[in-house]
């Protein structure tokens, strides 16, 4: 069963530059809406196992990545393909919205 991988400042570039589409959830422990979308992201990691990479960046522990992408509000979810941002979602949304955006990159 797939699980969202922990993405850090150190492994970020390596993870987003692979062949598969990547969904990155920028979150923090103290963020209420992040806790709402967290289980959805974990569920998607399981559903898209083998098709896409689903990961999470704790913005408090990994400020460099968050800063590099100008993350000001969390949760922010960025969709990457070939190392480039192809879509973005700010704020908690239903799973269907995230699935639709990720499906478009498959």
């Amino acid at each position: 069963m797939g699980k969202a991988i922990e993405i850090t400042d150190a492994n970020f570039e390596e993870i987003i530059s692979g062949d598969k589409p990547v969904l990155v959830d920028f979150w923090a422990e103290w963020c209420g809406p992040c806790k709402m979308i967290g289980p959805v992201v974990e569920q998607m990691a399981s559903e898209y196992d083998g098709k896409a990479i689903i990961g999470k960046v704790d913005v408090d522990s990994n400020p460099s990545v968050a800063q590099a992408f100008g993350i000001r509000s969390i949760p922010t979810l960025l969709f990457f393909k070939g190392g480039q941002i192809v879509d973005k979602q700010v704020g908690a949304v239903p799973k269907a919205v995230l699935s639709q955006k990720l499906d478009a990159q498959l």
Side-chain angles (χ1 to χ4, degrees), residues 15-62:
I15 289 170
I16 65 159
S17 58
D19 296 343
K20 295 177 183 160
V22 183
L23 166 58
V24 181
D25 174 17
F26 289 86
W27 69 286
E29 196 63 50
W30 48 264
C31 164
C34 297
K35 290 182 180 184
M36 287 171 27
I37 207 163
V40 170
V41 172
E42 290 294 341
Q43 195 177 15
M44 288 180 69
S46 183
E47 290 173 13
Y48 287 89
D49 193 26
K51 294 186 275 185
I53 295 169
I54 313 288
K56 300 175 75 151
V57 175
D58 181 339
V59 297
D60 290 334
S61 303
N62 302 284

Side-chain angles (χ1 to χ4, degrees), residues 37-90:
I37 207 163
V40 170
V41 172
E42 290 294 341
Q43 195 177 15
M44 288 180 69
S46 183
E47 290 173 13
Y48 287 89
D49 193 26
K51 294 186 275 185
I53 295 169
I54 313 288
K56 300 175 75 151
V57 175
D58 181 339
V59 297
D60 290 334
S61 303
N62 302 284
S64 298
V65 171
Q67 206 169 25
F69 289 97
I71 306 297
R72 303 219 187 294
S73 301
I74 52 174
T76 291
L77 296 103
L78 298 181
F79 298 80
F80 292 88
K81 192 162 188 181
Q84 302 296 313
I85 295 176
V86 290
D87 208 341
K88 178 179 186 171
Q89 178 64 54
V90 179

